[in-house]
Amino acid sequence: MRITSSMMTNNMMLNVGRTVRNLDGLWRQQSSGRVVNLPSDNPLVAARALKFRSNMRSNFDFQDNVDRGLAWMDVTQASLFNVVDTLLASARDSINAASNDYLDLDDRRAFTLTMRNMLHQIGLEMNTQFAGRYIFSGLRTNQPPVFSQNQPGLHFEIEQTFFLRDIERTMSLQFRNDITQPAVIPDGIELPPIVHDIHVIKLPYRNIDPATIAGLPAGLNLIPMTLDHYDAYNPEPGEVHFIAETGELIFNAADATGAAGAANFPPGTGLTISYEVNGFSANELNPAVMFPSRLIAAPPGHTLHHLTVMDPNDLDPNEIFFNGFGPSVDNQNLTYEFSTHTTVPVNTLASNVLTPNLFADLLRLVEFVDSLEYTDKSELREHFEAQNALRLPPLQPWSDDEITELIYRHRYTERAQINRVVNDRFNNMLYLIDRHSAQVRQELTDIGSRGRRLELFQNRLEHDEGSLYRLMSQNEDVDVIRLATLISSAQAQYMAAISVGTNIINVTLGNFLQV
């Protein structure tokens, strides 16, 4: 009898404990609102919950990338609109107005002053920052595309690749003076400036050492020239004249056109020229951002190390590390991940907007116009009077009226030639401005399409967020109505277990006392 009573008591306690545990689990679900409160409650549901949370965290990170990418693109787009719709358009209007035949040099200089200010403003737009980083500098977000201050201590070796389309066909003036003029013509009259049709490549820098220029084809010889040399803009076939004052490479037409031009500037690969620049001025292009380049000398107060491997953790504020030529400017995209294994570049490269040709073309045009001067009448009269003293018999001396006529003819011819060349330069610049503007608009279209892609990513990620919340809710959240029913049932089971147990205990206790 004792064994039977003990067994019944144990079974009763077991049943009560089972109902208590079931009711306790339901109460925990009701208080937390979750089906699973411990991994042991349901390992499969717990594993799914961890997976959904991981996906949700990734979704939040992707949405954060989209927000930052769209903000970066908005700043970039605003700068590009300023460049193409305001600055380049204003520059084009100024160039168009300055190409008027009836304007004198002072009037033209007023327009070039406006263009110089616009050029400076373009540099400021290219140095736009977002969260302290330069948006047009590719991966070198700590360096501006355009120097804002003079950098006399920087020394770079630079590489540039040119194609036949980069050769500008235009006109140039060559002034003669007593030093470079090869011979005095029979009448002793100094001719007005000579007009040359030239094929020129404009390098974006003027402080270039001619001895460092390399990369020309074997059949072309580089000859440094001064600007006032009588033959500076008239190279012979096989010669390339380099004018250090302007940074211009002057090619003979035979070497820059036809089959010879295609051989010297191979299609697809082009002609790669390297040169060194020692010292940079404010508003000049930063070669570290714009070109494949190698830093040769650091500015004062900095130590330059040429290393094969660079550890960024060892970088000191006064140390600069370079290991050969910097990365190609074509491989400087700043990419964000917006989905698993899906990346989109959010930046626009300065080399695709502020092309070296744009800066060089505008700067050289401004400097060319600013360098022009009409010959002073008193200087011409002094010159012709000196020549008149050399007119020995049988030549008759010029009268004052003849000298005045010579001065008039000289100034008329000089003005006509200057206007011809200047108008050609301005008209040619209109074409170049349109080409540059088209390229900037192409970049605007590109960044607009990438922005549209980000907006589509944003919409999908927001939809995915809702789907993940729904799946998480279905996986973890309790069904309140169903849970209430289960709790009521569990409570009934608990009360029944206690009631039955009480009756059993009473019966077994009475039997025990009778014995």
Side-chain angles (χ1 to χ4, degrees), residues 18 28 90 155 174 215 289 416 487 514:
R18 184 182 298 114
R28 284 203 307 269
S90 299
H155 186 182
Q174 183 57 54
V289 173
I487 290 176
Q514 289 178 1

Side-chain angles (χ1 to χ4, degrees), residues 206-420:
R206 290 172 298 176
N207 197 19
I208 299 174
D209 183 0
T212 64
I213 298 178
L216 291 175
L220 297 179
N221 297 320
L222 183 71
I223 301 178
M225 288 281 181
T226 57
L227 185 60
D228 60 356
H229 193 280
Y230 69 92
D231 235 4
Y233 288 97
N234 189 30
E236 297 292 332
E239 294 181 352
V240 178
H241 290 180
F242 174 68
I243 304 175
E245 294 96 325
T246 61
E248 294 175 318
L249 290 169
I250 312 298
F251 291 80
N252 185 275
D255 300 319
T257 57
N264 292 329
F265 297 83
T269 59
L271 175 64
T272 299
I273 297 177
S274 64
Y275 55 88
E276 294 183 15
V277 180
N278 190 1
F280 297 84
S281 301
N283 214 39
E284 283 192 328
L285 302 178
N286 184 351
V289 173
M290 301 297 297
F291 308 106
S293 57
R294 182 169 64 92
L295 184 62
I296 298 176
H302 293 74
T303 304
L304 177 63
H305 300 277
H306 290 281
L307 300 179
T308 304
V309 179
M310 182 184 74
D311 183 1
N313 296 323
D314 294 335
L315 187 61
D316 185 87
N318 292 326
E319 292 182 325
I320 297 178
F321 293 84
F322 262 73
N323 51 354
F325 278 90
S328 171
V329 293
D330 297 328
N331 189 25
Q332 291 283 298
N333 288 326
L334 187 65
T335 58
Y336 287 171
E337 189 173 15
F338 303 106
S339 182
T340 304
H341 305 305
T342 303
T343 59
V344 175
V346 300
N347 66 326
T348 298
L349 300 179
S351 56
N352 293 336
V353 179
L354 188 63
T355 63
N357 291 340
L358 171 61
F359 240 52
D361 290 337
L362 285 173
L363 188 60
R364 298 300 176 265
L365 177 62
V366 170
E367 292 176 343
F368 174 73
V369 174
D370 289 346
S371 67
L372 297 177
E373 290 285 350
Y374 295 133
T375 306
D376 186 80
K377 289 182 180 180
S378 60
E379 292 181 358
L380 281 176
R381 179 169 293 280
E382 181 180 343
H383 171 78
F384 284 122
E385 288 177 351
Q387 295 296 325
N388 197 23
L390 300 176
R391 292 176 64 83
L392 301 176
L395 297 176
Q396 295 296 323
W398 294 317
S399 65
D400 288 342
D401 291 340
E402 288 176 329
I403 291 178
T404 301
E405 177 67 18
L406 289 173
I407 294 174
Y408 171 79
R409 283 165 45 194
H410 183 101
R411 287 178 59 84
Y412 178 83
T413 304
E414 181 183 60
R415 181 184 178 88
Q417 289 179 340
I418 289 178
N419 281 339
R420 176 188 173 193

Side-chain angles (χ1 to χ4, degrees), residues 110-252:
F111 288 108
T112 58
L113 178 61
T114 301
M115 291 169 54
R116 190 182 291 273
N117 291 329
M118 291 178 185
L119 195 61
H120 178 69
Q121 186 61 35
I122 290 175
L124 294 179
E125 290 293 341
M126 289 296 99
N127 286 348
T128 300
Q129 298 183 54
F130 175 74
R133 297 189 292 174
Y134 293 101
I135 62 175
F136 292 106
S137 296
L139 298 179
R140 301 179 183 272
T141 56
N142 63 332
Q143 295 200 38
V146 179
F147 289 120
S148 57
Q149 297 178 345
N150 294 336
Q151 301 290 338
L154 284 180
H155 186 182
F156 271 92
E157 182 181 0
I158 302 168
E159 282 187 355
Q160 275 189 267
T161 300
F162 300 96
F163 299 88
L164 276 177
R165 63 177 178 268
D166 297 319
I167 299 178
E168 183 180 348
R169 294 163 177 81
T170 184
M171 293 181 180
S172 184
L173 288 172
Q174 183 57 54
F175 291 89
R176 289 183 171 182
N177 57 40
D178 294 336
I179 298 175
T180 59
Q181 187 170 318
V184 178
I185 61 174
D187 279 343
I189 303 175
E190 183 180 2
L191 292 177
I194 303 173
V195 177
H196 289 294
D197 292 322
I198 61 173
H199 294 72
V200 59
I201 286 178
K202 299 172 183 175
L203 301 180
Y205 305 104
R206 290 172 298 176
N207 197 19
I208 299 174
D209 183 0
T212 64
I213 298 178
L216 291 175
L220 297 179
N221 297 320
L222 183 71
I223 301 178
M225 288 281 181
T226 57
L227 185 60
D228 60 356
H229 193 280
Y230 69 92
D231 235 4
Y233 288 97
N234 189 30
E236 297 292 332
E239 294 181 352
V240 178
H241 290 180
F242 174 68
I243 304 175
E245 294 96 325
T246 61
E248 294 175 318
L249 290 169
I250 312 298
F251 291 80
N252 185 275

